[in-house]
Amino acid sequence: MAQIFLDTAKVEEIREAVSWGVLDGVTTNPTLMMRAGTADLKTNTLEIVDIVQGPVSAEVVSTDVDGMVEEARDILAWSEHVFVKIPSTVEGLKAMKKISAWPHGRINATLIFSANQAYLAARAGASYASVFVGRMDDAGFDGMDVVRQTRAIFDNYGFDCQVLAASIRHPEHVLDALLAGADIITMPFGVLQKMIRSPFTDVGLERFLADWDKVTNSS
Ligand code: G3P
């Protein structure tokens, strides 16, 4: 079964999605923290962990290997549910290799725009490979192709690393990611809302209730 994550740092959205009973985890990044109006990564991440009780990704802001490893050490100690997001750069790859050697080295390799990057991240021991579908679409490429290629490569070689479809813009992305075999899809709350809403369902429900009203009021 594919897992559904919310791509947000806003606790009220996460609380609402949890109440729907279909939320498995959360991904954040510095931009999402800014949108949630918080600079306190630890407090915000732990509040999210408390609500979702599942995997929550928090991103490092260092760009050198030592800085990333140091930040990861701190972030991963916050909770067993926390995954550390490491950018898929050369320095990031080196950091992933070190962090994944730790017993609790839970890594979400982020900013992936090619299946080659995903392959290298998996080789370096990442648990998740986050493919940025929407940003590739924005630049005129087919982002979902990278999800499909990554799925095929991980299956070919039996990698444990999970394919995470990120940068999701609309419900069609979710559908395509499910068809492509993504393990996890992380999406804004607005996309999750659109997944369940249909005007046909509303009209259908209205008609059922009106007809039932006629039957019960005519007897
Ligand atoms: O969490 C990373 C990714 O999902 C970012 O998405 O919308 O900024 O391209 P976006």
Side-chain angles (χ1 to χ4, degrees):
M1 186 178 64
Q3 292 190 294
I4 293 178
F5 285 13
L6 271 195
D7 201 22
T8 185
K10 294 182 180 164
V11 289
E12 61 282 4
E13 292 182 344
I14 296 162
R15 209 169 267 127
E16 176 63 19
V18 164
S19 78
W20 293 13
V22 292
L23 191 72
D24 301 296
V26 170
T27 49
T28 69
N29 62 38
T31 303
L32 295 171
M33 288 286 170
M34 180 199 69
R35 285 186 196 148
T38 177
D40 189 342
L41 186 62
K42 183 176 179 182
T43 304
N44 191 252
T45 303
L46 288 178
E47 194 178 356
I48 295 170
V49 165
D50 199 44
I51 298 166
V52 77
Q53 291 296 317
V56 176
S57 293
E59 188 156 346
V60 298
V61 288
S62 299
T63 53
D64 63 297
V65 56
D66 290 340
M68 284 191 252
V69 169
E70 216 33 61
E71 275 189 69
R73 199 183 302 282
D74 183 37
I75 289 171
L76 289 169
W78 295 344
S79 157
E80 59 181 357
H81 292 300
V82 174
F83 283 62
V84 67
K85 263 178 140 178
I86 305 284
S88 301
T89 57
V90 171
E91 290 294 291
L93 213 54
K94 292 181 200 168
M96 288 182 217
K97 191 71 192 170
K98 286 175 189 276
I99 297 162
S100 66
W102 304 342
H104 59 297
R106 301 170 296 273
I107 299 166
N108 179 348
T110 191
L111 289 165
I112 289 179
F113 294 88
S114 76
N116 281 335
Q117 283 178 304
Y119 170 71
L120 290 172
R123 286 283 310 266
S127 305
Y128 300 156
S130 285
V131 178
F132 276 39
V133 175
R135 291 196 196 183
M136 274 182 286
D137 286 2
D138 294 346
F141 300 98
D142 181 357
M144 205 55 71
D145 251 357
V146 178
V147 173
R148 280 186 281 270
Q149 291 163 356
T150 303
R151 172 79 283 150
I153 291 166
F154 287 5
D155 289 348
N156 282 350
Y157 299 105
F159 281 117
D160 267 349
C161 187
Q162 302 201 56
V163 181
L164 194 158
S167 186
I168 294 295
R169 300 272 192 266
H170 43 68
E172 288 72 18
H173 269 157
V174 180
L175 182 59
D176 288 344
L178 288 169
L179 292 170
D183 297 295
I184 302 165
I185 305 160
T186 190
M187 65 196 78
F189 183 55
V191 174
L192 183 65
Q193 285 177 309
K194 285 182 190 154
M195 281 176 71
I196 188 66
R197 281 190 189 147
S198 165
F200 296 109
T201 305
D202 296 341
V203 169
L205 183 61
E206 216 171 276
R207 193 177 302 164
F208 283 155
L209 295 179
D211 288 344
W212 186 245
D213 205 40
K214 282 180 212 157
V215 176
T216 49
N217 283 331
S218 68
S219 55

